[in-house]
Amino acid sequence: TSTAIDTNAASGSGAGMYVARNVTVSLSSGSLSTNTAGIDGGGLYASDSVSVSLTSTAIDTNAASGSGAGMYLTNQITLALASCNVGDNVASLSGGGLYVMGPSSTASVTDCTVTSNRAVQGHGGGWVVLKDTQLTMAAGRTVSNNAGQDGGAIWLGSSACIVRNHTLSSNTAAGSGGGFYIANSTSSVLVEQSSTVANNRAANGGGGGAYLHRGTVSYTLRGSQMKNNSASEHGGAVYAQGSGTAVTVSSSTVDANTAVKAGGGLYAADGAVVKVNTNSEVTRNTADEDGGGMYLSGGSTSTVVSSSFKYNRATARGGGWYSTASVINATSAQVDSNTAGGSGGGCYMSNVNAGSSTLTMSGSGTSVKQNVAGENGGGIYVAQDVAVSLLSASINANNCTKRGGGM
């Protein structure tokens, strides 16, 4: 209690503290600051069935030549942080703020800030979470201004993360995944309870807010928002690639995200699955290539239920939706007031490489209206062996400069 563990150095790991094997560490109103480790764990290194409980403690300005500048924890760890600040830590490799690895580890974070940490040559500016670890963050604080190669805020591998009433903002990945980078085997992220993922950036890759690939990985946005995220490649808000990847947007908003290439809001490729439901809104997203609101390719599938895609813009094709060799099933959905510089103001459908390409729209309130295309298909553009079924859908007041104002 009220202990300062500061300005220590170790040529190995754990400059501030090194603990191992069935030890319990508790610290309240203290500090782990300005410690420097030659390997891992500048502030604290813990391994093998250790319990760490920190309350109202500053974990800041630590450095590690390896990983986990603030803390490095591995193998059956129980971590509890409450009202702590993890800030300005720098790791030469991964996990600028915290590095937590299993197997069978848990990290519970309540009312904490994780800000301005850096992973210089590795991943996870704020956090690295690996190998059967459960991370839960709650109670209205921020993960902000962190930076790493992939995963500006959080790099997650073979683990699970739940974010409740939290803000992830202004994090930067030099590569992909400005907010989250989710990969490897089975991994999942749930962002819920009025959380915000905003102003994150993938400087040289995809997924400004979240990047998913490799293995069975999922990202769920529930009762929350993603806004103003940006990617230098695909997926301004979310990038998902691979048949095991799944994105769900439920009772949420995906707004004003930008991609230099395709998928200003949502990008799915190579069999990824995207579900947008329960009065969700995908609005004002921009792609400099195709798919302002959503881009699908390579056998991907999207289900849109009781949700809307509005005011999105693609410089090329598909202002609202762009789909090639993929499937869209929409029920009680609105694709309105979107713009494409090329064809398909509302929706662009094609079938490259002889895949299966289907568009089905049905249900009360389904509409494609007031969309604008700079070339063909103001509302919907269909080409190359696409199956289209429109049941109880309203297609009206769309515009284009060439052929097919409605479709």
Side-chain angles (χ1 to χ4, degrees):
T1 302
S2 300
T3 299
I5 303 172
D6 302 339
T7 62
N8 300 286
S11 58
S13 296
M17 297 180 65
Y18 184 105
V19 292
R21 297 178 185 172
N22 302 304
V23 173
T24 297
V25 176
S26 296
L27 187 62
S28 179
S29 301
S31 62
L32 285 164
S33 300
T34 324
N35 300 288
T36 302
I39 304 179
D40 300 321
L44 182 147
Y45 180 101
S47 67
D48 303 323
S49 302
V50 170
S51 176
V52 179
S53 178
L54 305 180
T55 303
S56 300
T57 294
I59 306 153
D60 58 17
T61 59
N62 298 288
S65 296
S67 297
M71 291 192 289
Y72 185 104
L73 309 113
T74 179
N75 191 20
Q76 297 182 321
I77 298 296
T78 301
L79 171 66
L81 300 180
S83 302
C84 293
N85 175 54
V86 182
D88 298 297
N89 300 286
V90 179
S92 296
L93 298 181
S94 296
L98 303 108
Y99 189 109
V100 185
M101 182 166 63
S104 303
S105 293
T106 62
S108 175
V109 182
T110 305
D111 194 31
C112 294
T113 60
V114 179
T115 183
S116 301
N117 301 285
R118 286 192 297 139
V120 179
Q121 299 176 48
H123 308 307
W127 286 85
V128 164
V129 182
L130 284 172
K131 197 176 179 182
D132 188 28
T133 295
Q134 172 72 57
L135 168 63
T136 303
M137 296 189 294
R141 297 297 288 274
T142 64
V143 179
S144 61
N145 295 302
N146 301 286
Q149 294 301 306
D150 290 325
I154 299 172
W155 197 100
L156 189 80
S158 304
S159 294
C161 175
I162 299 174
V163 179
R164 297 185 174 121
N165 190 24
H166 230 69
T167 297
L168 273 77
S169 65
S170 303
N171 301 286
T172 301
S176 296
F180 296 95
Y181 188 100
I182 310 162
N184 292 348
S185 187
T186 302
S187 295
S188 65
V189 170
L190 169 61
V191 179
E192 64 175 358
Q193 296 182 7
S194 301
S195 292
T196 297
V197 180
N199 299 302
N200 301 288
R201 183 168 69 102
N204 291 287
Y211 183 97
L212 294 74
H213 85 140
R214 298 210 309 263
T216 304
V217 295
S218 66
Y219 177 84
T220 300
L221 186 73
R222 185 164 65 199
S224 297
Q225 62 179 336
M226 299 185 77
K227 63 181 183 179
N228 298 322
N229 301 287
S230 63
S232 67
E233 295 186 1
H234 306 301
V238 181
Y239 176 108
Q241 182 179 19
S243 59
T245 61
V247 177
T248 301
V249 179
S250 180
S251 301
S252 296
T253 300
V254 179
D255 179 63
N257 303 282
T258 60
V260 171
K261 294 186 177 180
L266 307 170
Y267 177 96
D270 300 336
V273 175
V274 177
K275 298 178 181 179
V276 181
N277 56 46
T278 322
N279 300 313
S280 292
E281 297 180 347
V282 181
T283 57
R284 301 191 304 158
N285 302 286
T286 302
D288 287 350
E289 293 182 357
D290 301 320
M294 178 172 65
Y295 177 100
L296 305 174
S297 70
S300 296
T301 302
S302 179
T303 303
V304 181
V305 180
S306 300
S307 297
S308 62
F309 283 72
K310 296 181 179 181
Y311 310 111
N312 301 287
R313 179 179 177 82
T315 301
R317 301 165 294 183
W321 300 336
Y322 176 98
S323 176
T324 180
S326 296
V327 175
I328 299 177
N329 294 310
T331 305
S332 300
Q334 297 80 50
V335 185
D336 301 340
S337 303
N338 302 286
T339 303
S343 296
C347 177
Y348 183 101
M349 299 290 300
S350 71
N351 193 2
V352 178
N353 297 326
S356 175
S357 191
T358 304
L359 171 64
T360 303
M361 300 186 74
S362 63
S364 174
T366 294
S367 65
V368 181
K369 66 182 182 182
Q370 296 179 343
N371 301 285
V372 177
E375 294 183 1
N376 303 307
I380 301 173
Y381 179 96
V382 180
Q384 294 177 264
D385 302 320
V386 177
V388 177
S389 177
L390 303 177
L391 305 172
S392 304
S394 173
I395 302 175
N396 67 289
N398 300 286
N399 244 306
C400 72
T401 61
K402 294 184 178 180
R403 295 180 295 272
M407 182 173 176

